[in-house]
Amino acid sequence: MDISSLNLINSNAIRNAYQNSTIGAMSGQTQTRADKSQDVFGAFLDAAIKDISQTNAYLSDAENEKIRFAIGEAENSHDLTIAMQKASAALDYTIAIRDKFLEAYKEIMQMQI
């Protein structure tokens, strides 16, 4: 298995976590390598949690639109379609990221020290 494909992940969360870590390093703070990696991991984890929350919000919005459409409150079906597409795309993206990280974790666990 090749984990180099993780470099191809193009996410604002990853980019922001990286930029936040480099800004802190450029501001003249003296940190050990372990502290920097914890800061980067913490920022990345916070961004991932925020992305998962956003995915849950999209799923909730889609469910609400389904209910509104079913009881006749929706004026058109476009809102339902848009909400469902947003939820589907966000969920697909979240699952793809999860799968890549699981692959990377398995690869790391199989490394010989």
Side-chain angles (χ1 to χ4, degrees):
M1 297 188 132
D2 182 21
I3 63 172
S4 63
S5 61
L6 289 176
N7 292 334
L8 300 177
I9 296 173
N10 187 10
S11 168
N12 288 335
I14 295 171
R15 192 175 309 112
N16 290 340
Y18 177 74
Q19 287 174 348
N20 289 340
S21 68
T22 56
I23 289 171
M26 292 170 50
S27 66
Q29 299 173 352
T30 56
Q31 293 179 330
T32 65
R33 188 175 194 173
D35 289 341
K36 287 180 186 177
S37 64
Q38 281 183 331
D39 289 345
V40 171
F41 182 75
F44 179 76
L45 185 61
D46 290 340
I49 290 170
K50 194 181 301 180
D51 284 347
I52 290 171
S53 297
Q54 185 65 39
T55 299
N56 288 336
Y58 284 142
L59 291 170
S60 178
D61 291 345
E63 191 65 29
N64 290 339
E65 286 296 325
K66 283 183 199 176
I67 292 169
R68 286 184 63 225
F69 186 76
I71 61 175
E73 287 183 5
E75 294 178 15
N76 59 31
S77 62
H78 298 293
D79 294 335
L80 173 62
T81 305
I82 291 168
M84 290 181 66
Q85 287 297 319
K86 281 183 180 180
S88 177
L91 188 59
D92 289 345
Y93 179 74
T94 303
I95 290 170
I97 295 296
R98 180 206 60 189
D99 291 345
K100 288 294 182 183
F101 280 113
L102 285 175
E103 286 178 29
Y105 176 76
K106 288 176 185 177
E107 180 74 21
I108 290 169
M109 293 307 294
Q110 292 177 357
M111 287 183 183
Q112 298 290 327
I113 296 179

